[in-house]
Amino acid sequence: AATGVRRSSVTSLASDLPERIESIASWILEKQSKQSPCAEMTWRFLEDPESGLMAHWFNKLMPPFIFLSVFITLLQTVEWTPLLGSTAAALETGIDALFTVEVIVRFVVYPDRWHFPLDPYNLIDIFAAMPLAFRCAAGFEVSVASGKDDWLAPFLLCFVPVLRLLKILRRYRQFHLLLKAFRLAGEALPVMLFCYF
């Protein structure tokens, strides 16, 4: 009799499982779709330069800041650099920290967090923020002449500026239009190939 009760309870749990999963999924989607007014305003500030005066200036001042961060990094690679040791480490760590905070804020206010890593601009931002972890692991001060961490210095001084320059692509609407054109052409490509063959 006890095994019959267990089997019936297991069977009832198994039959209720799809309904429970569906209710949990709908609860998650409901939570994701409801954004607070502050999160929505922050999202518009970050994504739409025409949403206000501060958003306009943020969009205008971010590319020069990114170029300045690239210049600071590349300035450390020349022979007679004015940026040495703790000064360079403090500047680079501050820049990386700002980029990391930007990624975190973008993730928190993103309308659909499940799709956050699918946006190529978000991936670029994530990769541009990752050097902070490498700097922490290296003790923040990195120089080409030190001889230690043979792979880390070239990575932080040569590859990181490229990642930072890629962050600028988010600001150019023409690039957004070009990506959209490629997506639409990619959707039509299977039909054209089917007709061709």
Side-chain angles (χ1 to χ4, degrees), residues 65-171:
F65 175 74
I66 293 170
F67 280 124
L68 180 66
S69 73
V70 169
F71 179 72
I72 288 171
T73 304
L74 293 179
L75 193 60
Q76 298 172 51
T77 62
V78 296
E79 192 172 329
W80 300 99
T81 179
L83 294 175
L84 292 172
S86 61
T87 306
L91 283 172
E92 289 288 339
T93 303
I95 290 167
D96 286 339
L98 284 174
F99 290 154
T100 303
V101 167
E102 181 190 6
V103 169
I104 291 169
V105 168
R106 283 187 184 277
F107 177 73
V108 168
V109 300
Y110 201 78
D112 187 8
R113 290 188 193 129
W114 293 103
H115 291 109
F116 182 81
L118 300 178
D119 186 358
Y121 302 112
N122 292 336
L123 288 176
I124 290 170
D125 288 346
I126 291 168
F127 289 133
M130 284 175 60
L132 182 62
F134 293 113
R135 284 187 204 289
C136 292
F140 296 104
E141 289 189 24
V142 176
S143 68
V144 179
S146 70
K148 68 173 190 171
D149 297 320
D150 294 332
W151 67 273
L152 190 59
F155 172 75
L156 291 176
L157 297 175
C158 300
F159 187 65
V160 169
V162 175
L163 289 174
R164 289 179 180 170
L165 284 175
L166 287 174
K167 284 180 65 70
I168 295 178
L169 291 177
R170 181 188 292 272
R171 309 279 182 249

Side-chain angles (χ1 to χ4, degrees), residues 44-46 48-60:
R44 277 188 279 128
F45 170 80
L46 290 170
D48 185 14
E50 297 173 1
S51 65
L53 185 62
M54 294 293 287
H56 172 76
W57 283 108
F58 176 76
N59 192 50
K60 288 289 184 190

